[in-house]
Structures are given as structure tokens and as C-alpha cells.
Amino acid sequence: HNHLADLPEAICELVTLEKIECGDNRVRSVPSAVSKLTRLALLSLKNNNLRRLPEALGKCAALKSLSLNANDLVALPESLCNLQNLKRLTLAANKLQSLPWSMGEMGALKTLDFSSNPLIRLPPSLGLLIDTLEKIDLFECTDLRDPPAPIIDAGHGRMMV
């Protein structure tokens, strides 16, 4: 609750940083220099004013948890799919209508939360994650059409609709 309007670029010089929690502020952007944070494991920017993310975020290879709930995101960079260690991705209450098509290549994902987004389609590649995903939350995604068959076949044990 510091009323930060931007994530300070100077924070990206702290190359040994492992966790950033800047929720409940007014952050509008993430600096491209975020790619310098090679040890960053957790990034939480929930309840801010983010409209987009830099492609450079896809270079934060150590990232395991990315929480971006309650922002104004309308799209995600394709580079996000390079985060091969990401286990938890929460994007509830944004303005996302679609997701990167190669999202199914993020083999470490265990939890996905897309709830309360105007999603129209899920990438077919998400079906590739069905053996590793523990939870996918699509609650209040009322515009969603034709989810990938493996996601539907997994049933309500892991999927919340």
C-alpha cells in the first residue's frame, strides 16, 4: 500500500533478489530490465494497474510463482511461455480475451487461475499439461468457447468452471 505508480527500475539492479511483492499499489508497468533478476522466484503484482508486461519477463528463468490478479491486462507476451520453472500463474480479474498459443509448453505449471476474465478461447496446447496441472480455475469465464478436450475430460476434480 505504498501507492507506487511504477516498479522502480533500480530494483532490477538487485540481481540476487528472489521475491518481489508489490500488490495493492498503482503499478502501471514493469521495467524491461526485469530480465536482470535471474534469481527471481516470486513476482506478485496483484491489484495494480498493469496493462501489459514486457517481453523481457520471459527471461526470468527462475520464476516459480507469478501473481497478476486484479490488473488491467488485455494480453500476455508470448515470451511468458519461456518460463519453464513456473508452477503457479494467477491472472484472475483481468481483461484477457486470449492467451499465448504455446502456453502448453510450460511443463512445470501446477496451478492456473484465469477466473473472471473475458476469455474466448484457451490455447489447444493447454491440453498437453493435463498430466501435470493440479488446478485450472475458469470461474466466471462466461465467454469461453470450446475448451481443449483434455481439459474437459479431466473433469471437475482439477478444473473449476
Side-chain angles (χ1 to χ4, degrees):
H1 299 291
N2 296 316
H3 305 292
L4 288 175
D6 290 301
L7 201 58
E9 189 148 346
I11 205 167
C12 298
E13 299 302 321
L14 304 171
V15 295
T16 59
L17 199 61
E18 295 180 10
K19 184 176 3 178
I20 297 176
E21 293 187 80
C22 283
D24 302 309
N25 280 286
R26 298 178 186 158
V27 176
R28 294 171 304 193
S29 64
V30 175
S32 292
V34 71
S35 61
K36 294 179 182 178
L37 300 176
T38 57
R39 294 186 186 177
L40 189 65
L42 181 142
L43 178 57
S44 178
L45 294 170
K46 59 187 178 183
N47 199 21
N48 277 287
N49 297 322
L50 288 172
R51 292 183 188 264
R52 63 180 200 83
L53 298 170
E55 286 286 337
L57 188 59
K59 293 182 179 173
C60 294
L63 206 55
K64 291 182 181 166
S65 179
L66 181 57
S67 180
L68 301 168
N69 294 341
N71 277 286
D72 295 318
L73 294 169
V74 295
L76 299 174
E78 190 68 36
S79 67
L80 202 65
C81 300
N82 296 335
L83 300 175
Q84 294 300 307
N85 292 310
L86 196 66
K87 293 182 181 198
R88 184 171 186 270
L89 177 59
T90 58
L91 293 158
N94 276 283
K95 297 176 181 177
L96 297 168
Q97 290 185 343
S98 64
L99 301 167
W101 284 102
S102 54
M103 193 164 249
E105 296 171 14
M106 300 171 74
L109 279 174
K110 301 276 185 213
T111 301
L112 286 172
D113 184 353
F114 302 129
S115 61
S116 300
N117 274 285
L119 282 172
I120 295 169
R121 285 204 164 73
L122 294 177
S125 67
L126 275 183
L128 299 172
L129 300 175
I130 204 60
D131 291 331
T132 56
L133 269 181
E134 294 171 359
K135 178 183 176 190
I136 181 168
D137 193 336
L138 299 167
F139 185 70
E140 292 187 358
C141 292
T142 55
D143 297 332
L144 189 62
R145 290 178 284 199
D146 304 322
I151 300 291
I152 296 297
D153 294 343
H156 291 282
R158 286 186 274 179
M159 183 169 90
M160 303 183 72
V161 185

